[in-house]
Amino acid sequence: MLQYCLLRRYRFLLRQHAQVIKRCYSGDIRNIGILAHIDAGKTTTTERMLFYAGKTRSLGEVHRGNTVTDYLAQERERGITICSSAVTFNWNGKRINLLDTPGHIDFTMEVEQSLYAVDGVIVVLDGTAGVEAQTVTVWTQADKHKLPRLVFVNKMDRPDANFEKCIVDLTEKLDAKPICTQYPTKSADGQLGIFDVITMEQMTWQQNDLGRNYSKVKLESSTELQEKRNELIDQLSGLDDELADVVISTESFDKVSNELIGQALRRATCQQKVVPVLLGSAYKNIGIQPLMDAVNAYLPMPEERNQMYDCFGNDFAGKVFKIVHDKQRGPLTLVRLLRGELKRGMRLLCSARGQAEVVSKIYEPLADEYREVGSMQAGDVAICAGLKSTVTGDLLTSSHTSLKNAQKRLLQSRGAAMPQDEDEVLDDASHELFSIEPKIPDAVYFCSIEPPSISSQTAMEQALKQLQREDPSLRVSYDSVTGQTVLGGMGELHMDIIKSRMLSEYKIDVDLGPLQIAYKETLGSSAITTLSVDKDIAGSKQSVSITLQLVSDQRELFSLDKSPENVQHLNALRPRILGVLRKGAVSALERGPRVGGQVVDTQIRLHNVTVGRGTADSFVMAAAAQCVQKLLITSGTRLLEPIMAIQIVAPNERISGIMADLSRRRALIRDVTSKGDRNKIILVNAPLAELSGYSSALRTISSGTASMTMQPCGFSEMNTADESLAVRRAQGLD
Ligand code: GDP
Ligand code: MG
């Protein structure tokens, strides 16, 4: 008995010890994203971090095309980042997992996905441009995910850089509370240096060793710096009670220690009350080490976030946030480990579809060079090989039992009573907790895609399938009228990237047709008709008579007429016939008669059908499709055009010019509000068709003072004149 007790005690201690180790370990991880407007310097900053952390031996440069994170050849050629890649490095005893993210509007979905996996972000500003259009977009996204953030004001080496303007922009355009922990300074020879406000030191970088070493000189006697430090403490103590208590009890700012300020700044940053601002020049190798120090010091540890997954205890839970294709290793799944441990060879259950899969290999990420490891712990980001059916957004768990237990614990912790019908309510809970599948935006542009020869059609389709798993915002369909494969997507760059990737990764040189706006069509007026077809095919008589009606309806695609004269007959219909009939009829909605757009908000109602003996299913299907096509032509369709929601921030004196231009673009002004004393925010919806080249037009109208973001926000009807113009354009007549 005594032995048994001792053994249990020993086991208990061991377990506790293991937990302590695990906790420390996860506390030593930072999962961060890096967000910015295009060209602000994300990639250059990432390269510098990797270099100083010892992960790379030489400095990659964007313009030379040898950076680690822009690893797709396509990105290297263009010098921009398209696929966010994960990179891991160690800095001062902490492990930083960093996701580089794309900055172009066509790829906002990618940014969105990677934000599920991070606990904090660095927002890079171009010191010469301040807050730009895409900065506003990514900032809003980070808000949505409640992510603590740091701001790095880059390009401060340039003579036209303006640190103060960036701070004003942060307050006025983003409603942020910036806390400047640094200020720029110039040394005697004109070199950029940095004042650290908290430690009151001046930092200077030596250029002869690629910025690896930098000196720190204390400037205790500087009254200017002293004032800035006091100001910082004053700002912070207004937001942090602990710091306020210290200030009150010591009755002086001078006696507040650097540690206390750091802790208060960390708390306020993690609670998203403030944003610490740092500066430097990634290109000139200045200010990167303090930036990494700030990541360690102020951004949250994994265990401080995602508390809702505590219900898994020590069981494994992970979230798939990206799938990439690797030439040698095939599809790789990037998983954020939320709880427990992931081991090589482990069986994982995909909770949404109940499928089980085995992780054959686990890699630690370093852009496209991956290092294989045996296991990884909660808090980290793992790259898994061997998962074939998982898609982005899936929650992975170790077993069905573990998932069920987690759900029960979650319900209990929320004080919900255990349900009678356990399965049903657990499903509801799991839906709430685990369904974070990203919403896939509707395509707003489309174009045809053609293989170089008929023989490569299958290879092209396979390649497109894989590309779609990686990028769900790419739509692929087949147009049976023209016999072409059609790509739907978010913009010109999006399609171009697909074309280049087909060539570089799959060696298929596809041709893209002209880019067209993806209109939808909707029913003009309700209509009903009967179609009877009789044919002799290879000696067998085929005959169908079918009565269908089209009505406007947003909920159901297909229904049976409920009137007394039809209901009995329809109820006696064989399910197989009903199935093929439905399939044929619904397929006809894929292409409307006006411009071949998808027909939406339309319901097909079956009134009657008689099928002759021995008639083939395919014949019934074709007849149903034909009947719907006939109805669409007789009733006519209206076009629906894609609408973009635009947010513009501009100085007051520019507003009237911007509005005048917008009204010429058929824009609907939704709201105009003041932002600070000098700026206004305009919210408008405008048709995509009127927005080609809008960002450069806005730049001209506002002399570069306005910033803008744009995203698709549904489809809407157009007036007859605009409609016929659109039809002429779609038919290539205009
Ligand atoms: P990204 O689009 O945000 O990834 O930006 P990149 O890192 O690709 O940088 C865009 C351009 O700005 C490149 O030509 C860089 O060399 C340049 N650049 C980046 N950082 C700095 C900097 O600190 N100072 C200057 N002068 N140029 C920079
Ligand atoms: Mg880049």
Side-chain angles (χ1 to χ4, degrees):
M1 188 62 201
L2 180 70
Q3 266 178 335
Y4 177 66
C5 285
L6 278 177
L7 194 67
R8 276 190 55 156
R9 180 87 198 131
Y10 179 59
R11 274 208 197 132
F12 173 76
L13 285 174
L14 252 184
R15 227 179 292 142
Q16 281 237 315
H17 184 62
Q19 282 198 348
V20 170
I21 292 177
K22 214 175 267 174
R23 213 168 271 158
C24 289
Y25 183 57
S26 138
D28 286 347
I29 297 177
R30 297 290 177 278
N31 291 304
I32 61 166
I34 179 158
L35 305 174
H37 186 84
I38 193 158
D39 272 355
K42 282 190 316 275
T43 307
T44 314
T45 307
T46 308
E47 287 301 315
R48 296 311 187 261
M49 295 209 255
L50 289 178
F51 179 68
Y52 298 127
K55 273 274 172 166
T56 50
R57 292 221 184 79
S58 64
L59 274 178
E61 297 296 351
V62 178
H63 59 263
R64 276 194 230 129
N66 60 352
T67 58
V68 174
T69 48
D70 287 356
Y71 64 92
L72 286 175
Q74 187 34 200
E75 300 191 8
R76 289 193 174 162
E77 276 161 31
R78 289 167 186 264
I80 55 170
T81 314
I82 291 144
C83 284
S84 44
S85 45
V87 196
T88 288
F89 54 88
N90 293 316
W91 184 251
N92 284 347
K94 306 258 188 292
R95 176 194 179 93
I96 300 180
N97 294 322
L98 185 145
L99 304 179
D100 191 21
T101 45
H104 194 278
I105 178 181
D106 286 10
F107 304 95
T108 32
M109 189 173 164
E110 280 234 20
V111 181
E112 187 88 7
Q113 289 173 20
S114 52
L115 291 184
Y116 283 117
V118 301
D119 303 312
V121 292
I122 301 176
V123 176
V124 180
L125 295 189
D126 177 338
T128 68
V131 169
E132 297 172 88
Q134 194 72 10
T135 325
V136 182
T137 311
V138 295
W139 196 272
T140 317
Q141 279 172 326
D143 277 343
K144 199 170 97 191
H145 292 261
K146 300 197 170 56
L147 287 167
R149 64 209 84 157
L150 301 176
V151 166
F152 181 63
V153 181
N154 189 32
K155 304 200 185 179
M156 285 305 297
D157 59 302
R158 291 200 12 194
D160 52 342
N162 187 341
F163 187 68
E164 271 72 38
K165 178 181 176 287
C166 291
I167 304 301
V168 171
D169 271 10
L170 285 170
T171 321
E172 294 196 345
K173 294 191 181 169
L174 299 176
D175 250 340
K177 268 216 172 58
I179 299 272
C180 299
T181 63
Q182 300 181 336
Y183 277 92
T185 153
K186 282 252 154 42
S187 66
D189 57 352
Q191 274 277 347
L192 173 70
I194 298 175
F195 281 136
D196 186 317
V197 180
I198 300 177
T199 62
M200 308 247 304
E201 288 169 331
Q202 173 166 1
M203 297 177 276
T204 319
W205 273 260
Q206 273 105 53
Q207 283 304 312
N208 48 15
D209 65 348
L210 299 169
R212 259 186 283 238
N213 292 305
Y214 62 107
S215 62
K216 290 180 179 176
V217 182
K218 265 241 179 305
L219 296 179
E220 303 242 297
S221 55
S222 158
T223 46
E224 192 197 340
L225 209 49
Q226 190 71 54
E227 271 167 25
K228 289 203 186 308
R229 188 174 189 268
N230 292 349
E231 204 179 301
L232 187 149
I233 299 172
D234 193 30
Q235 261 183 306
L236 259 186
S237 54
L239 296 163
D240 187 83
D241 292 345
E242 278 183 53
L243 186 66
D245 287 347
V246 175
V247 173
I248 292 166
S249 62
T250 56
E251 292 177 349
S252 149
F253 285 154
D254 305 352
K255 297 204 186 100
V256 183
S257 72
N258 296 347
E259 287 69 38
L260 280 177
I261 303 177
Q263 287 159 8
L265 187 53
R266 175 171 213 283
R267 283 189 295 270
T269 308
C270 289
Q271 293 163 11
Q272 299 147 68
K273 289 182 185 159
V274 300
V275 188
V277 182
L278 297 94
L279 66 98
S281 162
Y283 186 60
K284 293 279 171 69
N285 312 320
I286 296 170
I288 302 299
Q289 296 93 335
L291 177 65
M292 293 197 275
D293 291 342
V295 167
N296 285 352
Y298 307 132
L299 291 182
M301 307 181 269
E303 65 199 39
E304 292 175 282
R305 293 181 50 90
N306 293 311
Q307 254 81 17
M308 67 176 199
Y309 294 100
D310 282 350
C311 59
F312 279 93
N314 284 333
D315 285 357
F316 174 76
K319 190 117 229 165
V320 177
F321 64 94
K322 191 167 170 57
I323 295 168
V324 295
H325 187 81
D326 184 88
K327 253 173 257 163
Q328 284 112 44
R329 303 178 184 93
L332 296 175
T333 311
L334 275 69
V335 185
R336 166 67 197 273
L337 311 182
L338 295 161
R339 292 294 177 268
E341 185 182 27
L342 179 69
K343 292 200 200 94
R344 183 174 35 218
M346 206 163 132
R347 260 178 97 78
L348 292 181
L349 179 83
C350 156
S351 60
R353 284 179 304 283
Q355 273 163 333
E357 297 200 273
V358 175
V359 187
S360 58
K361 279 182 180 143
I362 305 172
Y363 302 97
E364 174 190 286
L366 171 65
D368 61 346
E369 296 155 43
Y370 307 131
R371 193 170 69 98
E372 206 182 324
V373 291
S375 70
M376 273 180 136
Q377 303 286 338
D380 230 324
V381 166
I383 299 184
C384 306
L387 303 178
K388 293 191 183 64
S389 63
T390 26
V391 297
T392 302
D394 278 348
L395 180 82
L396 300 175
T397 57
S398 55
S399 70
H400 203 65
T401 330
S402 125
L403 176 66
K404 275 257 137 78
N405 288 341
Q407 289 170 320
K408 273 188 204 156
R409 266 178 241 139
L410 180 79
L411 276 184
Q412 279 160 1
S413 72
R414 293 189 175 177
M418 279 321 276
Q420 307 239 295
D421 188 350
E422 209 172 88
D423 271 348
E424 190 181 310
V425 178
L426 283 183
D427 275 351
D428 272 0
S430 70
H431 192 74
E432 186 193 332
L433 173 57
F434 306 129
S435 72
I436 61 149
E437 256 180 82
K439 205 172 150 285
I440 304 170
D442 261 333
V444 290
Y445 283 108
F446 73 92
C447 68
S448 61
I449 175 168
E450 258 174 19
S453 64
I454 308 244
S455 60
S456 43
Q457 175 80 26
T458 320
M460 180 183 86
E461 279 164 18
Q462 285 300 327
L464 284 176
K465 250 195 207 122
Q466 180 54 42
L467 288 173
Q468 249 189 317
R469 260 189 81 199
E470 292 172 32
D471 171 12
S473 68
L474 175 74
R475 310 290 177 122
V476 182
S477 59
Y478 180 73
D479 183 337
S480 55
V481 175
T482 60
Q484 284 175 319
T485 305
V486 178
L487 290 188
M490 308 312 295
E492 193 171 1
L493 182 61
H494 194 189
M495 307 290 198
D496 270 7
I497 300 294
I498 299 298
K499 180 177 159 69
S500 317
R501 289 188 65 186
M502 288 294 269
L503 184 61
S504 62
E505 291 169 35
Y506 300 92
K507 307 280 170 278
I508 309 172
D509 190 4
V510 295
D511 263 330
L512 295 186
L515 198 65
Q516 295 181 46
I517 291 180
Y519 292 101
K520 289 187 177 182
E521 301 187 23
T522 190
L523 197 63
S525 58
S526 175
I528 183 165
T529 194
T530 300
L531 180 84
S532 301
V533 270
D534 289 284
K535 255 196 190 132
D536 263 334
I537 296 177
S540 92
K541 193 169 154 45
Q542 312 272 315
S543 85
V544 179
S545 173
I546 176 170
T547 308
L548 292 177
Q549 185 188 15
L550 292 186
V551 288
S552 291
D553 184 283
Q554 298 193 340
R555 288 155 306 167
E556 253 183 316
L557 213 55
F558 187 87
S559 71
L560 301 182
D561 183 45
K562 302 263 169 14
S563 62
E565 69 264 33
N566 292 330
V567 78
Q568 207 176 1
H569 173 70
L570 290 179
N571 280 345
L573 217 59
R574 266 180 300 160
R576 205 195 63 222
I577 292 289
L578 196 63
V580 292
L581 192 153
R582 181 194 155 101
K583 204 167 160 198
V586 168
S587 75
L589 295 181
E590 280 306 308
R591 274 185 66 86
R594 292 287 294 272
V595 295
Q598 188 193 1
V599 181
V600 294
D601 303 340
T602 302
Q603 187 189 105
I604 302 163
R605 195 170 291 163
L606 175 64
H607 282 254
N608 207 338
V609 58
T610 31
V611 179
R613 207 179 239 285
T615 303
D617 286 355
S618 55
F619 195 79
V620 179
M621 207 185 304
Q626 232 180 57
C627 186
V628 172
Q629 277 160 3
K630 189 173 147 194
L631 276 170
L632 284 172
I633 292 169
T634 48
S635 73
T637 58
R638 305 276 329 253
L639 283 198
L640 298 176
E641 60 177 344
I643 301 293
M644 305 298 278
I646 312 173
Q647 178 182 358
I648 300 166
V649 180
N652 293 338
E653 66 275 12
R654 304 282 179 182
I655 299 297
S656 60
I658 294 172
M659 300 277 250
D661 172 72
L662 279 172
S663 68
R664 281 192 287 275
R665 294 176 187 269
R666 295 195 280 128
L668 184 80
I669 314 278
R670 282 171 29 227
D671 199 10
V672 182
T673 48
S674 295
K675 180 136 202 172
D677 292 338
R678 269 164 289 151
N679 290 296
K680 282 203 164 52
I681 309 174
I682 313 177
L683 295 179
V684 287
N685 285 356
L688 179 66
E690 305 290 339
L691 292 173
S692 68
Y694 183 61
S695 54
S696 50
L698 181 68
R699 211 173 302 133
T700 315
I701 302 167
S702 70
S703 313
T705 57
S707 62
M708 174 198 80
T709 64
M710 184 150 78
Q711 58 223 27
C713 74
F715 288 74
S716 90
E717 281 195 29
M718 26 201 328
N719 68 34
T720 339
D722 293 331
E723 195 174 25
S724 27
L725 194 69
V727 172
R728 282 177 68 80
R729 269 195 207 140
Q731 291 165 342
L733 298 173
D734 248 354

